[in-house]
């Protein structure tokens, strides 16, 4: 009985962690896309001075 409860708790915790990882991965990808578009459309600060 206790083993089933522990297994169920761990399984739920695993699902929550997997969902958090998926969310963080989507956020990371969205940030990378945003930054790459931003870099392409604007000069970086100090870039003109370095050229």
């Amino acid at each position: 009985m206790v083993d089933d409860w522990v297994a169920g708790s761990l399984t739920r915790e695993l699902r929550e962690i997997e969902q958090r990882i998926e969310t963080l991965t989507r956020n990371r990808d969205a940030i990378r896309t945003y930054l790459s578009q931003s870099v392409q459309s604007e000069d970086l600060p100090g870039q003109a001075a370095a050229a």
Side-chain angles (χ1 to χ4, degrees):
M1 286 293 221
V2 172
D3 290 341
D4 290 340
W5 181 83
V6 170
S9 292
L10 290 174
T11 300
R12 284 189 296 279
E13 187 69 22
L14 175 62
R15 285 187 195 127
E16 289 177 18
I17 291 169
E18 288 173 336
Q19 288 175 350
R20 289 180 197 150
I21 291 170
E22 289 172 12
T23 298
L24 290 170
T25 301
R26 281 194 306 272
N27 289 345
R28 181 203 62 200
D29 293 346
I31 290 168
R32 284 182 175 169
T33 299
Y34 172 79
L35 290 175
S36 70
Q37 291 171 353
S38 152
V39 168
Q40 290 173 2
S41 64
E42 298 178 16
D43 290 338
L44 293 174
Q47 186 178 21

